[in-house]
Amino acid sequence: MSDYGDSDYDMGGSDAYSSGGDDFSYSGDEAEASSPVAKGAKKSFVVLDKEELRERLGAGVSQVVELLCISDAEATRALRFYKWDLTKLQEEWFADPEAVQVKVGLVDEQPSTRRKEEVCKICFESFSVQDMACARCKHYYCKDCWRGYIHTSIESGPFCLDLRCPDPECKAAVPRRVITAVVDAAHQERYDDFAINSFVDDQRQIVWCPAPDCQNAVMSMHDQLGVAQDIFCRCGNAFCFNCKEEAHRPVDCDTVRKWMIKNSAESENLNWILANTKPCPKCTRPIEKNQGCMHMTCSQCRHEFCWLCEGSWAEHGERTGGFYNCNRYKRAVDKGEVDEQEQRRQHARQSLERYMHYWQRWAENDTSRKRALRQMEAFKSETQELISEYTATPVSQLRFITDAWMQVVHCRRILKWTYATAFYAFADPVNATKEAKARLAQHQEFFEFNQGQAEHYLEKLHGQVEKQLNTFVRPPPSPPEGEAAAAGSEAAGPSGRDQQGWAKFREQLIGLTDVTRIHFEKLVNEFEKGLDEALKEYDVPMAQASTSAAAATAAAAAAEEAAAAKAKAAGKAPADSRRITRASKRRQGPVDQEQAAIEHEAGYWQCSHCTYANEAMDSQECELCSQPRGATR
Amino acid sequence: MDSSQLPRRIIKETQRLLSEPVPGISAAPSEDNLRYFNVIILGPDSSPYQGGVFKLELFLPEDYPMAAPKVRFLTKIYHPNVDKLGRICLDILKDKWSPALQIRTVLLSIQALMSAPNPDDPLDENIARQWKTNEVEAMNTARQWTELYAHQA
């Protein structure tokens, strides 16, 4: 189920993550708004295109040339030998210069020839020394032979970077000037590419973006390599620095690998088998019943049984209802009897169902994310212009919509992975103590609460940007859906009404994007920190978690403290999306009264900044985002 | 074949091979193809190949000397670095080739390989195993093969 090679990722070179920003960085100003989980203000990676790689490579080589007074070819070779680690090269060089010199092919400079002509040791022709070239060893070869030698070497692979003098006994490195003087453009490019490849491949902190056709590399500034790190390449690909799979925080790379293997082995088959088959009661091979009566004969073990009650067919016949019915089954169902075998099968089914439960949610979010990506692209290429025109807003100010889409895409991905991780994290522990089980249950409750919260806001945001947005993709006279009632009581003209609806949409969407990001940040951070730690912060006494029910209470209590009354807001969510809310500080007089009446009836007031449903009717400050009541952005 | 089309290097190498032959080695270009050499290497003294006359073929490909010559034993030989088809496992014929090497150096290397087989880098698994586990036996077999196949009629 890997996404690489998926056309969704190839976003046609558009700069999805930092419109306008040349050097994208994870938490740079431009990218900040689009980052799904901006963790700290530290710049943790940088995307480098070919030109930037070339520059960095050149700078590194120049530094060594200057520092050690050696030629560029020798410097390149030395850096390559030490995996481009300047510090290590320096250390070893100053500890034992001769040893390093031997390793990198730095031979003593030999005196130049005194003759005017020399014989090329390859073609055996005589040439004027001016028309020949040599390394420090002063083994002279003609330019044609050099070209043949270097071209052959470049054609045979990256070892051309360690090119030595053709003399079999000589270890002298071929200077860059000799190479550039004789090779043609195509070979030069290939040679440079090899150098850049080595620069990236040999360094642990630089990797290529794994998206097909993307030529960017990414340098990580993370202090700890070897752990999952989400990278957002300029090409639009989001991947993990460590395992090169799709970005998957907060899940670790091992879990992702396990999950992917499990999926590739089971997902499609399992889905179908579960939906369409029953296992043979005798040999347990899955059987599909696509037609005919209830009298089944297993094609594998020839066992004859009844499809309904799964009992032996020998006990069936006229008296049990014939070929198309089964009294025994009916009776069992009526009585609620389930035999032992059935229980075992049920257990097996349950574990499959458990997997299916997580897998379906994982897959659904994946599909949803891909669709969101497509919709975002469609917005950028088509809808954006229209909305700009109809709402009289410059395109540059529609960035908030792309940001919302980006947030949806990122959050869908995070959410998807939380299902994979939950599958492993909350599996039924074998031989665990009662306390351990209780703690696990508590963790699960807490995790699922956070997950539910995050998901709730994501759904809201997704709905808003998917459906609400469409109401603005039409000429101004028709007011946005759901705003008609509000508009009716206002004195402003149609366009004014529409403008107001637009302003409100904008402010709500920005607020929702923010809130969604905060929730997902929390979800990711708390999971990465460890649920035990996270729970401790909410100071939940472990004693309460002795039974499953108590665990639920504890988690609820923790959640209560964590997110205050968000749980209630979640409960009100469906109402939120149906009702028309009219909080706006610009409204005055009769509108205010009307507003108050509506809020009173609803039993809450909606924050116009983050859309949170506040139940404290007297409060003048949003419980969630602490913005003053009626504040807009 | 018209020798004027041959690179000067090949002509010079050929001339020198004929005028100053290496002891124990003869290499002469074929009459109809000047890039194709009939080679004879005498089994080196104090090796199990002593007394044997080994025929080889050597071909200079189009991009010689940028590419290595192709060399193959025609005479059957029991040697861990030579396979049934006579192909030779020798670094300078592969990745260690340098255009500054010559036919002469290649043939000298093959001669040296006959004196000192390298069973750690074998081309023929079975012979190499025999060479490592029972060298005396292996040497005997090599001598027998030399007797059988490398003696001129």
Side-chain angles (χ1 to χ4, degrees):
Chain A
M1 298 288 293
S2 170
D3 282 314
Y4 309 130
D6 195 302
S7 59
D8 288 342
Y9 273 85
D10 182 12
M11 309 213 298
S14 62
D15 198 351
Y17 292 82
S18 62
S19 58
D22 273 334
D23 195 341
F24 170 70
S25 66
Y26 186 48
S27 47
D29 299 338
E30 282 281 356
E32 184 72 54
S34 332
S35 291
V37 273
K39 195 186 179 187
K42 209 175 73 191
K43 198 176 172 185
S44 65
F45 68 83
V46 56
V47 179
L48 303 165
D49 64 20
K50 207 166 161 183
E51 208 37 60
E52 290 160 327
L53 284 169
R54 208 192 301 272
E55 277 165 22
R56 278 180 191 245
L57 189 153
V61 170
S62 313
Q63 212 175 343
V64 174
V65 167
E66 230 165 82
L67 200 69
L68 307 179
C69 298
I70 55 178
S71 83
D72 45 7
E74 290 146 359
T76 310
R77 248 172 95 162
L79 278 169
R80 236 167 85 74
F81 192 87
Y82 290 102
K83 308 261 182 228
W84 303 91
D85 185 342
L86 182 61
T87 322
K88 182 123 187 274
L89 165 62
Q90 238 173 303
E91 269 172 23
E92 302 227 349
W93 178 278
F94 291 115
D96 188 356
E98 273 105 46
V100 178
Q101 285 168 14
V102 168
K103 280 179 194 162
V104 304
L106 190 60
V107 302
D108 291 336
E109 180 90 47
Q110 299 296 313
S112 299
T113 180
R114 291 185 178 178
R115 285 192 287 262
K116 281 188 176 160
E117 281 199 349
E118 281 284 342
V119 173
C120 169
K121 300 268 183 6
I122 294 176
C123 64
F124 299 170
E125 308 272 352
S126 284
F127 290 91
S128 154
V129 170
Q130 291 163 351
D131 296 329
M132 303 179 87
C134 61
R136 288 163 77 106
C137 56
K138 298 293 182 298
H139 291 123
Y140 289 90
Y141 303 96
C142 74
K143 298 236 167 102
D144 280 344
C145 286
W146 269 120
R147 184 175 304 115
Y149 178 61
I150 297 169
H151 278 188
T152 309
S153 169
I154 290 173
E155 282 154 23
S156 58
F159 286 104
C160 63
L161 297 173
D162 298 330
L163 199 62
R164 295 178 166 190
C165 164
D167 188 298
E169 305 295 318
C170 180
K171 297 200 179 336
V174 179
R176 182 68 65 97
R177 65 179 159 74
V178 174
I179 296 172
T180 43
V182 299
V183 299
D184 59 30
H187 282 83
Q188 181 70 57
E189 198 187 333
R190 190 139 184 234
Y191 181 86
D192 292 343
D193 284 352
F194 279 132
I196 290 173
N197 285 352
S198 160
F199 185 69
V200 173
D201 295 340
D202 294 348
Q203 296 195 81
R204 275 194 76 204
Q205 66 270 30
I206 307 186
V207 298
W208 293 110
C209 168
D213 304 329
C214 177
Q215 300 208 325
N216 295 337
V218 173
M219 183 154 103
S220 168
M221 269 83 94
H222 209 278
D223 342 311
Q224 211 186 346
L225 295 178
V227 296
Q229 186 191 357
D230 284 1
I231 302 285
F232 305 94
C233 180
R234 270 197 290 246
C235 74
N237 186 24
F239 67 98
C240 168
F241 188 88
N242 188 42
C243 70
K244 317 289 179 298
E245 281 288 353
E246 174 199 56
H248 56 69
R249 276 182 75 212
V251 188
D252 61 81
C253 300
D254 266 356
T255 307
V256 170
R257 198 178 41 83
K258 268 199 294 192
W259 178 255
M260 291 314 253
I261 291 171
K262 191 171 174 65
N263 285 355
S264 63
E266 298 195 50
S267 65
E268 293 302 317
N269 285 341
L270 205 62
N271 208 353
W272 189 90
I273 289 171
L274 271 183
N276 299 292
T277 73
K278 277 186 185 180
C280 166
K282 199 170 171 200
C283 69
T284 71
R285 282 191 180 84
I287 294 171
E288 178 198 12
K289 177 176 167 359
N290 48 13
Q291 57 179 329
C293 68
M294 299 300 161
H295 179 186
M296 304 297 290
T297 306
C298 174
S299 64
Q300 301 296 316
C301 69
R302 314 307 298 170
H303 177 63
E304 292 178 49
F305 66 98
C306 163
W307 180 256
L308 283 176
C309 75
E310 295 176 51
S312 165
W313 190 257
E315 296 155 21
H316 285 68
E318 283 296 318
R319 62 203 153 75
T320 59
F323 287 107
Y324 289 92
N325 213 341
C326 178
N327 297 339
R328 280 163 50 108
Y329 178 71
K330 265 194 179 157
R331 230 179 298 129
V333 170
D334 290 345
K335 282 190 196 162
E337 273 176 13
V338 191
D339 64 15
E340 210 179 307
Q341 208 179 10
E342 177 68 9
Q343 258 174 347
R344 267 210 308 277
R345 237 179 282 137
Q346 208 123 50
H347 187 74
R349 216 173 292 147
Q350 266 164 12
S351 82
L352 284 180
E353 267 164 16
R354 183 168 177 276
Y355 167 61
M356 284 308 297
H357 169 89
Y358 288 106
W359 181 80
Q360 270 166 356
R361 277 153 189 79
W362 180 85
E364 269 163 27
N365 276 297
D366 191 50
T367 318
S368 181
R369 180 186 59 87
K370 285 180 186 158
R371 203 177 47 235
L373 253 179
R374 277 195 296 274
Q375 284 170 308
M376 179 174 73
E377 287 312 301
F379 166 74
K380 285 203 284 194
S381 59
E382 299 158 24
T383 334
Q384 187 163 245
E385 292 286 322
L386 291 174
I387 291 183
S388 170
E389 193 184 316
Y390 295 149
T391 63
T393 316
V395 170
S396 63
Q397 283 183 30
L398 292 177
R399 180 79 198 280
F400 74 98
I401 298 174
T402 320
D403 285 349
W405 273 121
M406 283 306 308
Q407 197 63 48
V408 168
V409 171
H410 286 308
C411 290
R412 284 284 170 212
R413 193 185 53 242
I414 295 172
L415 193 59
K416 152 183 151 176
W417 284 112
T418 62
Y419 283 108
T421 204
F423 174 78
Y424 290 105
F426 308 119
D428 232 356
V430 189
N431 302 328
T433 61
K434 209 175 165 190
E435 287 85 55
K437 280 193 180 182
R439 190 159 51 240
L440 191 71
Q442 190 188 11
H443 282 179
Q444 184 167 3
E445 294 272 3
F446 180 60
F447 180 75
E448 282 175 0
F449 175 79
N450 274 346
Q451 193 185 35
Q453 284 291 300
E455 191 161 13
H456 162 67
Y457 280 99
L458 174 57
E459 292 300 344
K460 234 177 134 171
L461 175 66
H462 203 157
Q464 193 96 347
V465 75
E466 197 170 39
K467 297 198 183 74
Q468 282 279 97
L469 182 65
N470 280 337
T471 61
F472 296 100
V473 195
R474 59 175 82 123
S478 84
E481 206 180 299
E483 291 294 317
S489 65
E490 282 182 47
S495 71
R497 270 197 325 248
D498 204 53
Q499 276 303 325
Q500 200 153 26
W502 168 247
K504 195 164 152 196
F505 168 74
R506 178 174 184 274
E507 135 202 331
Q508 279 189 346
L509 195 64
I510 291 173
L512 254 180
T513 307
D514 255 5
V515 174
T516 311
R517 190 183 70 242
I518 292 166
H519 273 282
F520 273 85
E521 257 169 49
K522 204 169 92 168
L523 180 68
V524 168
N525 289 342
E526 284 182 349
F527 188 78
E528 283 183 339
K529 201 159 54 187
L531 292 176
D532 248 346
E533 279 300 305
L535 273 169
K536 254 181 225 155
E537 272 175 35
Y538 299 124
D539 195 26
V540 181
M542 279 309 295
Q544 282 187 23
S546 53
T547 67
S548 159
T553 327
E560 202 83 30
E561 239 172 295
K566 262 182 286 169
K568 290 177 218 158
K572 288 268 160 58
D576 283 352
S577 51
R578 280 195 301 272
R579 275 173 207 274
I580 310 135
T581 52
R582 292 154 213 192
S584 169
K585 71 171 178 186
R586 280 188 289 269
R587 297 196 182 145
Q588 283 170 359
V591 183
D592 251 3
Q593 284 168 16
E594 187 203 2
Q595 180 69 23
I598 291 168
E599 282 172 357
H600 181 75
E601 188 198 326
Y604 67 91
W605 60 270
Q606 191 177 34
C607 171
S608 48
H609 180 79
C610 71
T611 73
Y612 177 71
N614 286 280
E615 287 185 279
M617 294 304 288
D618 300 334
S619 171
Q620 290 304 313
E621 193 180 78
C622 173
E623 216 172 338
L624 183 69
C625 69
S626 303
Q627 290 289 323
R629 191 167 179 174
T632 50
R633 298 201 345 164
Chain B
M1 195 195 204
D2 184 5
S3 69
S4 64
Q5 280 182 357
L6 272 188
R8 210 172 127 86
R9 151 143 182 174
I10 296 180
I11 297 168
K12 281 208 165 181
E13 271 201 76
T14 312
Q15 281 170 354
R16 201 164 152 235
L17 277 169
L18 296 173
S19 61
E20 311 166 31
V22 193
I25 297 175
S26 93
S30 155
E31 276 175 19
D32 47 330
N33 185 351
L34 293 173
R35 286 178 174 269
Y36 184 90
F37 288 74
N38 293 303
V39 179
I40 289 171
I41 300 180
L42 300 179
D45 288 353
S46 65
S47 81
Y49 311 105
Q50 189 178 350
V53 178
F54 294 88
K55 283 192 195 162
L56 295 90
E57 59 177 8
L58 183 148
F59 179 71
L60 303 176
E62 189 55 44
D63 43 356
Y64 180 83
M66 294 310 157
K70 301 190 183 311
V71 199
R72 182 171 86 91
F73 271 94
L74 294 174
T75 307
K76 243 169 110 81
I77 179 169
Y78 190 81
H79 190 288
N81 306 108
V82 182
D83 72 1
K84 283 198 186 76
L85 299 173
R87 293 177 299 193
I88 307 161
C89 180
L90 186 62
D91 57 359
I92 59 159
L93 292 176
K94 307 269 158 48
D95 53 324
K96 290 282 171 9
W97 171 255
S98 154
L101 291 164
Q102 301 177 20
I103 301 174
R104 174 184 297 268
T105 40
V106 167
L107 296 179
L108 273 166
S109 296
I110 294 173
Q111 198 182 37
L113 190 68
M114 289 169 79
S115 294
N118 179 11
D120 291 322
D121 184 20
L123 204 56
D124 192 305
E125 271 280 316
N126 292 331
I127 301 178
R129 200 182 308 119
Q130 179 78 339
W131 219 276
K132 285 175 94 169
T133 54
N134 193 346
E135 201 180 329
V136 178
E137 191 59 37
M139 298 282 243
N140 276 335
T141 315
R143 257 189 290 275
Q144 281 167 19
W145 280 39
T146 308
E147 196 88 9
L148 262 170
Y149 306 111
H151 276 255
Q152 277 174 320

